[in-house]
């Protein structure tokens, strides 16, 4: 049983908390940093920026990625941009407005202190990335350009066409590569973390598998940093890369780290609709397209005309109609539910009637095709390659899909989990987005955590350990963890079942999407909690993994990740069932306003729900109350 959760939020006015905290944390002097070893798992924006910065400070850093190159991390797939409160447009933005928009966009389920810090350091991120050579879009005079994004009425999103994530990751990757060359960072590619090692209640290392040779190895450190992304692939179909998984944070959860708000998953409104039942993933169309694209459906049911042949008066621009103040730029959860409602009511478009239109004809007529091409051409090209439809001539077809996960391991203000020595960054933690993430804030959080937060806060944990050696890999804690990893591998290889890993993963995804997807209810969640254990029992008995352990074996990689997804799926449904309210991406059909908006219950659920692993039995819920001292609790309205 854990004690009460200590979020370590500093005292004082919210605008002064971070500065005062930076002064009050313990420091590690430059000449002492090389005495501390820090493991960083993950090489996306959060992991690469953290490893590069810690290495530059002088720490002995080991960075692990299961990719063949650190620059292949899934951060590369982010398209639309990165938020920062620079107010270059002079349209009323500020640190406080970004803070307010994030709290409101997350439906008042985020910790105020963390969100305000994120807004504060956002302005430094842009300067850092420009210095690295990130080719942000610029206006005619040479100043950095901005565009608007969902959930905001100002333009604060910096971008590099439709490939912002790729350009930011290249900047972080070159910073990481510099430290690798200097010898402060030891980079381990094609290496997957399979367990967290804990001794005397502290994280002290990890167990890994070399994906080429199958070698199981232990790595020891004074602190472990997890920056391994989200768990959206529990739904099978999502916008995530197929390799994205939850194993690192889930194994840490099973070693004692609390898992917070697992039911807070985000549905992205602008994805290419599924075209058949055999797809393995969905393709994201950047939310930035909602700047110039207008979303609509035909007013006439089962209208078979080509969309460019449907006259203006026969179109329903439903977001503009329902939310006139924000129009097509409402937050993702609001836009997604609105699109689902139209499709559910029989107004879906496309061969499978499973989409809505995203139309650029008005913007092209107003600005010219050349301007739209300059802003979005690579996205338009990608869409045409996938659908064989030219979006300059015919509207895109879009539909919501699983994208981001706001839940993750619980962390305090220092980004340390309840397990001392285990820090969690970016999408892998729960801390900054509440029940719904605003567009262009994922890149902001990843780089903020890695470049500007962890380098300060990790010293507070390490400084008192000066002169203490890391736990040796010969310790019983490591040998036991290695033995458990090897036992799991042998068990799955010797299973001798009849069905593939992907078959079980797809079936699990169907259960999750149907019962814990865009809408949930007590009945659907109860149904899922009966179906998931039954499917999991069949999985353990009948899954078949070909090949061996001493070589590249992607089925062996996948079977362990899917096994973790089964356990995580149960926790997600349990969390969604206990939270009897609607907020952000968590939409319980029993809890909605008369016009179909999410209806919170602040008296009973204004808290973070952090779950303790139950050892295979019932998990235990811990609550961190959320105090709103700077933004008044209110029903969200984008009308």
């Amino acid at each position: 049983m854990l004690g009460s959760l200590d979020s370590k939020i500093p005292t004082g006015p919210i605008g002064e908390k971070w500065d005062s905290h930076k002064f009050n944390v313990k420091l590690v002097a430059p000449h002492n940093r090389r005495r501390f070893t820090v493991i960083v798992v993950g090489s996306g924006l959060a992991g690469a920026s953290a490893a590069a910065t810690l290495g530059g400070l002088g720490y002995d850093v080991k960075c692990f990625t299961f990719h063949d190159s650190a620059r292949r991390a899934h951060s590369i797939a982010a398209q639309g941009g990165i938020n920062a409160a620079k107010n270059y447009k002079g349209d009323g933005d500020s640190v406080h407005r970004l803070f307010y928009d994030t709290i409101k966009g997350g439906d008042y389920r985020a910790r105020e202190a963390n969100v305000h810090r994120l807004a504060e350091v956002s302005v430094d991120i842009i300067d850092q990335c420009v210095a690295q050579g990130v080719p942000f879009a610029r206006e005619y005079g040479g100043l950095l350009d901005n565009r608007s994004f969902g959930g905001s009425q100002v333009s604060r999103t910096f971008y590099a066409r439709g490939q912002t994530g790729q350009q930011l990751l290249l900047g972080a990757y070159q910073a990481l590569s510099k430290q690798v060359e200097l010898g402060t960072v030891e980079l381990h590619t094609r290496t997957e973390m399979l367990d967290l090692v804990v001794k005397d209640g502290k994280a002290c290392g990890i167990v890994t598998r070399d994906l080429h040779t199958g070698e199981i190895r232990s790595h020891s450190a004074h602190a472990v940093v997890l920056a391994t992304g989200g768990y959206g692939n529990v739904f099978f179909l999502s916008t995530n890369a197929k390799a994205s998984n939850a194993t690192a944070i889930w194994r840490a959860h099973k070693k004692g780290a609390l898992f917070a708000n697992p039911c807070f998953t985000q549905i992205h409104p602008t994805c290419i609709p599924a075209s058949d039942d055999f797809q393995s993933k969905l393709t994201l169309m950047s939310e930035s397209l909602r700047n110039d694209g207008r979303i609509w459906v035909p007013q006439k049911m089962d209208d078979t005309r080509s969309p460019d042949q449907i006259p203006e008066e026969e179109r329903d621009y439903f977001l503009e109609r329902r939310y006139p103040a924000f129009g097509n730029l409402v937050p993702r959860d609001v836009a997604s539910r609105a699109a689902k409602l139209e499709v559910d009511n029989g107004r879906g478009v496309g061969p499978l009637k499973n989409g809505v239109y995203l139309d650029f004809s008005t913007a092209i007529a107003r600005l010219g095709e050349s301007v739209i091409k300059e802003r979005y051409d690579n996205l338009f090209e990608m869409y045409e390659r996938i659908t064989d439809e030219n979006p300059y001539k015919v509207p895109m077809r879009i539909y919501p899909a699983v994208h981001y996960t706001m839940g993750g391991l619980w962390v305090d203000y220092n980004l340390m989990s309840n397990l001392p020595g285990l820090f969690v960054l970016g999408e892998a933690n729960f801390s900054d987005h509440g029940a719904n993430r605003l567009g262009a804030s994922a890149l902001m959080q990843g780089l903020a955590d890695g470049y500007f937060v962890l380098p300060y806060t990790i010293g507070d944990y390490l400084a008192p350990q000066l002169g203490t050696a890391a736990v040796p890999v010969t310790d019983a804690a490591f040998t036991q963890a290695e033995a458990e990893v090897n036992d799991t591998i042998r068990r799955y290889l010797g299973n001798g079942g009849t069905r593939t890993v992907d078959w079980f993963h797809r079936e699990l995804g169907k259960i999750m999407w149907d019962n814990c997807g865009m809408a949930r209810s007590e009945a659907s969640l109860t149904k899922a909690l009966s179906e998931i254990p039954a499917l999991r029992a069949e999985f353990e008995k009948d899954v078949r993994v070909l090949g061996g352990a001493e070589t590249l074996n992607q089925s062996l990689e996948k079977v362990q990740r899917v096994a973790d997804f089964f356990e995580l799926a149960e926790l997600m449904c349990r969390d969604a069932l206990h939270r009897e309210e609607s907020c952000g991406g968590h939409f319980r059909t029993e809890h909605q306003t008369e016009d179909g908006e999410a209806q919170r219950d602040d008296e009973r659920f204004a808290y973070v729900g952090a779950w303790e692993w139950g050892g295979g039995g019932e998990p235990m819920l811990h609550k961190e109350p959320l105090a709103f001292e700077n933004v008044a609790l209110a029903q969200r309205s984008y009308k």
Side-chain angles (χ1 to χ4, degrees), residues 210-286:
D210 185 304
L211 298 184
H212 283 305
T213 68
E215 179 188 10
I216 304 297
R217 282 188 61 191
S218 289
H219 304 268
S220 175
H222 293 88
V224 176
V225 179
L226 300 186
T228 52
Y231 49 90
N233 274 346
V234 70
F235 291 90
F236 187 75
L237 279 180
S238 81
T239 66
N240 289 258
K242 288 302 294 178
S244 298
N245 64 85
T247 288
I249 58 173
W250 189 252
R251 302 290 170 90
H253 173 59
K254 294 175 75 170
K255 286 297 180 73
L258 297 180
F259 208 116
N261 298 338
C263 76
F264 287 172
T265 56
Q266 182 169 81
I267 312 297
H268 197 294
T270 52
C271 300
I272 299 177
S275 58
D276 58 44
D277 292 332
F278 301 100
Q279 281 187 233
S280 60
K281 76 176 298 293
L282 296 170
T283 302
L284 173 68
M285 289 284 99
S286 170

